[in-house]
Amino acid sequence: MASELIAEERARVDDALLESLLHEALGGSDANDEARITALLLKLDSLGVSTGRTSSTGKWRPSSRWLPLAIAASLIILSAWIFWNDPARGQAYAAVIRSMRAMDAVRQYRVEATYRRRLVGERSFVADLYLDEGDRFVVRLPSLLGRSEVWLGGTPNDRWLVPAHGPVLVGGKSVTAGWLANSDSETPYFYLATVLERMSRAYDLEMLEPEELAPLWDGSQRVLCDHVVGSRREGSSPRLPAKIELWADKNSGVAQRIELDWKRPESGFGPVHWTIKLAGYPDLADDWFDYTGHCRDDHIVKNAGTVADLEAHTID
Amino acid sequence: MDAKFLFEILVRENAKMLIAYIRAAVSDHALADDIWQETMLVAWRRLEEFDRNRPFAPWLRGIAARTIIARRRTASRLVTLENAASLEHLGERLERVNSLKGDTLDEKLDALRDCVARLSDSDRQCIELRFLEGLKPAELSQRLNLALETIKKRLARAKQRIHDCMQQKLQDAGVA
């Protein structure tokens, strides 16, 4: 059928493919790829998928109430198996799993990120990240020109954005993806649970000697932390950080500090280094994890269906 | 290893190739993301129908093509390659790129990056501003202080040179 295409249409297809590949080769974002995959996996989870079996009607098999128990059991069995075969690695794995589960209080993290981009060179930004007990997050980011701030929040599937000027934008995660790609802030790494989950699955883990860290909010205190270093396993996505280090409170398991290092050569572009430090347990307003907590009452709210809608607004 | 984990491996292996395919056919990135996810969900649901003796990527593209055609009814303005023959041709072209050296699409795209590097400084600047920074031709015109027509001609010339360079690389790699 394709052979019947007229030359003009073939040329149009070739041009469209070349444009798409150029976007991917020059402007492709690791984080957007990872976000797409994470969203798919979360969607499969939300549909109650655990083993890939579908019912005879082709519809999703309803989620079993035993599923969480089954997942917990498989994690325990996997931990036990690793521990049995390699106690040091087992401890490291257990520390990461424990940290994944220690998400039972509202926390604030300070994020310091460095990127390297073609033509522009290295750039850094500092952001404040807030996580609730569930799956909501809020980030305060510097705006593109650094004169004011932007608030971004949401869940794994939904996003809202309160820009410095213009209407509040509410929509699916793809709504903010284009803007984020340009602002150097890439959301998958704002989900600490995702970082830790990847660390437990795609990295070779090593437990180092425990270390004492001074909390950002009280330099006089010391928190004894498990220190785990993860090196990206061969065969894992080269877009993931080459090395992830985790310092987790030995008592509570709460992540105190996470460092992501892509170990990029001088000629490489993309994220270079992220440091995420626990900055405290703030008492936040009830609407903090909603856009209403970060804009005026009379702010116009736009349901932004597409990235184009978003890009139509000046964000500074 | 459970089926979902194996499926995730297949997703990771094919994610980039699939989004490149969809974005070539759809002008809106948000819609492309939606189609990508829908394609993967349909693939998961129909995994038992997949013939393991055949490659996975073309099967996935087949699902994507049907999804794109279905979306044309509700978002015709955003779907730029709208018929089955064009999408089939797109799949064939992408398969040729897939034959280039490299384990991942990113590695295969080194050939394309090399073609961009071979452009003249002025052409390369245009291409990088267009595809790296995402500037539209009108914005490029402002940034470079050149007439819009000049920018359009420069972009068309640069893309033609990249296309020719890629054809040569494909030929050198023995891809028909």
Side-chain angles (χ1 to χ4, degrees):
Chain A
M1 188 165 40
S3 56
E4 295 166 9
L5 276 185
I6 58 170
E8 195 180 332
E9 179 62 6
R10 282 170 175 268
R12 195 168 77 92
V13 173
D14 289 351
D15 188 57
L17 178 61
L18 181 63
E19 292 231 347
S20 175
L21 294 177
L22 280 167
H23 272 296
E24 206 55 56
L26 302 179
S29 158
D30 299 353
N32 283 351
D33 290 343
E34 202 54 39
R36 209 172 286 121
I37 292 169
T38 303
L40 172 70
L41 297 177
L42 288 169
K43 180 82 178 173
L44 287 173
D45 285 344
S46 73
L47 292 167
V49 173
S50 64
T51 62
R53 303 283 184 271
T54 51
S55 70
S56 56
T57 60
K59 290 182 179 167
W60 297 105
R61 174 182 280 187
S63 169
S64 160
R65 64 198 172 97
W66 299 107
L67 185 61
L69 275 179
I71 292 169
S74 65
L75 282 173
I76 291 166
I77 291 165
L78 184 58
S79 307
W81 184 84
I82 293 170
F83 193 86
W84 183 262
N85 286 279
D86 182 348
R89 193 177 151 223
Q91 284 170 8
Y93 183 81
V96 174
I97 295 295
R98 190 161 167 249
S99 197
M100 275 167 68
R101 292 175 180 166
M103 303 271 180
D104 54 359
V106 172
R107 285 147 296 138
Q108 179 184 351
Y109 286 88
R110 170 58 57 98
V111 180
E112 295 166 13
T114 305
Y115 279 77
R116 196 180 302 127
R117 306 198 73 164
R118 284 176 210 270
L119 306 174
V120 179
E122 266 190 20
R123 271 185 183 174
S124 297
F125 72 85
V126 176
D128 290 310
L129 165 67
Y130 301 86
L131 301 171
D132 78 350
E133 306 92 325
D135 59 2
R136 293 184 300 173
F137 78 97
V138 169
V139 190
R140 183 198 59 79
L141 289 159
S143 71
L144 285 175
L145 298 182
R147 288 200 296 266
S148 49
E149 58 192 22
V150 172
W151 292 89
L152 167 73
T155 66
N157 292 316
D158 303 302
R159 296 280 190 281
W160 51 258
L161 179 75
V162 180
H165 301 292
V168 174
L169 296 155
V170 180
K173 69 175 181 59
S174 53
V175 163
T176 51
W179 180 79
L180 286 168
N182 288 331
S183 72
D184 288 344
S185 354
E186 311 210 21
T187 41
Y189 304 111
F190 289 138
Y191 288 113
L192 290 199
T194 305
V195 172
L196 295 171
E197 193 263 347
R198 291 277 173 251
M199 195 175 175
S200 72
R201 285 207 291 171
Y203 288 75
D204 287 324
L205 304 179
E206 185 186 358
M207 188 79 148
L208 302 184
E209 285 298 309
E211 263 185 49
E212 283 190 337
L213 294 187
L216 274 185
W217 66 93
D218 184 358
S220 65
Q221 281 189 32
R222 288 287 181 275
V223 177
L224 186 62
C225 295
D226 282 327
H227 182 190
V228 181
V229 178
S231 305
R232 193 180 63 218
R233 210 170 283 154
E234 210 168 306
S236 300
S237 167
R239 293 166 172 272
L240 293 171
K243 182 179 164 191
I244 300 179
E245 280 189 89
L246 165 72
W247 287 262
D249 187 320
K250 223 170 166 38
N251 289 321
S252 65
V254 171
Q256 298 286 315
R257 178 177 176 146
I258 296 176
E259 297 218 2
L260 312 176
D261 190 346
W262 278 260
K263 292 191 183 298
R264 289 194 191 279
E266 295 259 322
S267 56
F269 299 101
V272 176
H273 193 95
W274 276 49
T275 302
I276 305 168
K277 292 179 193 164
L278 183 63
Y281 298 90
D283 192 12
L284 302 172
D286 291 344
D287 57 358
W288 188 264
F289 289 94
D290 194 5
Y291 66 84
T292 52
H294 307 278
C295 62
R296 299 184 314 273
D297 288 345
D298 61 348
H299 222 118
I300 296 168
V301 178
K302 185 170 188 284
N303 204 320
T306 67
V307 175
D309 284 344
L310 185 74
E311 287 173 346
H313 295 83
T314 307
I315 299 170
D316 177 26
Chain B
M1 223 184 273
D2 71 16
K4 189 183 160 197
F5 184 67
L6 291 172
F7 183 65
E8 185 186 340
I9 294 171
L10 286 172
V11 167
R12 287 188 178 282
E13 280 179 357
N14 292 279
K16 227 170 162 35
M17 190 72 81
L18 185 64
I19 197 70
Y21 175 81
I22 296 169
R23 279 189 181 161
V26 170
S27 64
D28 179 78
H29 283 200
L31 179 62
D33 280 355
D34 283 353
I35 292 172
W36 184 93
Q37 188 176 86
E38 199 176 326
T39 300
M40 291 296 190
L41 288 171
V42 171
W44 167 258
R45 250 188 337 247
R46 296 188 180 161
L47 208 50
E48 286 174 6
E49 297 169 19
F50 170 60
D51 179 353
R52 293 181 190 189
N53 297 316
R54 302 176 76 90
F56 190 67
W59 184 68
L60 211 49
R61 284 200 299 269
I63 297 173
R66 286 191 288 279
T67 310
I68 290 166
I69 290 168
R71 287 296 185 105
R72 185 185 54 185
R73 290 177 205 124
T74 52
S76 59
R77 195 172 51 86
L78 303 173
V79 176
T80 49
L81 299 183
E82 59 279 355
N83 66 64
S86 299
L87 290 166
E88 191 183 328
H89 178 64
L90 176 65
E92 288 168 6
R93 297 307 238 188
L94 195 54
E95 203 51 51
R96 294 174 77 220
V97 175
N98 204 22
S99 310
L100 286 168
K101 194 178 151 194
D103 292 334
T104 62
L105 179 64
D106 201 46
E107 288 174 21
K108 294 173 201 297
L109 289 179
D110 281 345
L112 188 61
R113 293 186 189 99
D114 183 56
C115 289
V116 173
R118 289 166 187 237
L119 293 173
S120 67
D121 286 349
S122 57
D123 284 358
R124 192 174 63 247
Q125 185 186 34
C126 263
I127 289 291
E128 288 188 338
L129 288 171
R130 174 79 185 93
F131 296 101
L132 173 66
E133 293 204 13
L135 298 187
K136 296 186 174 84
E139 294 166 321
L140 260 168
S141 157
Q142 280 190 332
R143 172 80 73 93
L144 299 177
N145 203 19
L146 291 169
L148 183 59
E149 273 313 303
T150 310
I151 292 293
K152 284 181 179 171
K153 278 181 191 163
R154 202 175 276 186
L155 279 172
R157 183 181 61 202
K159 282 198 293 181
Q160 186 58 50
R161 286 185 177 151
I162 295 168
H163 178 264
D164 294 345
C165 170
M166 281 298 283
Q167 289 302 111
Q168 189 58 52
K169 281 182 185 288
L170 287 165
Q171 219 167 39
D172 294 346
V175 182

